[in-house]
């Protein structure tokens, strides 16, 4: 059973940076695709960044150039480095993992972490 533990949210001012972490356990290889999602109040959940296997990362247009997704293999931890945060980045963020590339999924990912709040004020 894959388990994902999310951490790193907080309240910051516009222009600040935050790094989210998603520690994975319950599997023994790094072949899973992982991603960060967010959901703002009153909006649909959207994908923010995807780490696919054997492919480069994929980013939502709204975060390109500001957010970076990375994965530490020994630590089994997915990161989302967020810079130059703006008010529109305020949301609940969560990570997900799947045995298939998340970019290709036509269903929800199999494994989800708990959400962490990111609040950006002006």
């Amino acid at each position: 059973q894959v388990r994902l533990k999310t951490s790193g949210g907080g309240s910051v001012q516009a222009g600040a940076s935050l790094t989210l972490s998603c520690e994975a356990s319950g599997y023994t290889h790094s072949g899973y695709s992982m991603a960060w999602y967010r959901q703002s109040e009153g909006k649909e959940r959207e994908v923010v960044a995807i780490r696919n296997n054997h492919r480069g990362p994929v980013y939502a247009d709204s975060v390109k150039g500001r957010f970076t997704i990375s994965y530490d293999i020994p630590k089994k931890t997915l990161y989302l480095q967020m810079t130059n945060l703006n008010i529109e980045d305020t949301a609940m963020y969560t990570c997900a993992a799947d045995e298939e590339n998340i970019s290709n999924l036509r269903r929800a990912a199999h494994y989800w972490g708990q959400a962490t709040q990111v609040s950006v004020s002006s």
Side-chain angles (χ1 to χ4, degrees), residues 62-114:
S62 59
V63 307
K64 282 181 182 176
R66 301 187 299 119
F67 290 13
T68 302
I69 189 171
S70 62
Y71 184 73
D72 186 314
I73 294 176
K75 294 183 179 179
K76 292 185 179 178
T77 300
L78 182 76
Y79 298 98
L80 183 68
Q81 295 173 284
M82 305 183 291
T83 64
N84 195 21
L85 286 160
N86 57 56
I87 294 175
E88 289 71 34
D89 296 317
T90 295
M92 295 293 290
Y93 286 71
T94 189
C95 62
D98 199 279
E99 297 86 347
E100 298 182 32
N101 277 334
I102 290 178
S103 290
N104 299 334
L105 291 182
R106 295 294 181 266
R107 54 166 172 77
H110 279 151
Y111 310 104
W112 293 85
Q114 81 281 13

Side-chain angles (χ1 to χ4, degrees), residues 1-121:
Q1 179 70 23
V2 175
R3 291 174 296 277
L4 304 175
K5 182 179 179 182
T6 313
S7 61
S11 298
V12 296
Q13 289 193 319
S17 300
L18 273 178
T19 296
L20 305 181
S21 300
C22 175
E23 184 178 357
S25 61
Y27 65 88
T28 59
H29 63 90
S30 61
Y32 283 70
S33 174
M34 299 182 75
W36 288 99
Y37 290 79
R38 69 185 181 187
Q39 186 168 19
S40 304
E41 190 171 345
K43 295 185 179 180
E44 300 264 335
R45 183 175 64 198
E46 62 173 346
V47 64
V48 176
I50 302 173
R51 173 189 174 269
N52 287 311
N53 289 317
H54 313 299
R55 292 169 55 183
V58 177
Y59 296 96
D61 288 342
S62 59
V63 307
K64 282 181 182 176
R66 301 187 299 119
F67 290 13
T68 302
I69 189 171
S70 62
Y71 184 73
D72 186 314
I73 294 176
K75 294 183 179 179
K76 292 185 179 178
T77 300
L78 182 76
Y79 298 98
L80 183 68
Q81 295 173 284
M82 305 183 291
T83 64
N84 195 21
L85 286 160
N86 57 56
I87 294 175
E88 289 71 34
D89 296 317
T90 295
M92 295 293 290
Y93 286 71
T94 189
C95 62
D98 199 279
E99 297 86 347
E100 298 182 32
N101 277 334
I102 290 178
S103 290
N104 299 334
L105 291 182
R106 295 294 181 266
R107 54 166 172 77
H110 279 151
Y111 310 104
W112 293 85
Q114 81 281 13
T116 186
Q117 176 72 47
V118 172
S119 298
V120 185
S121 60

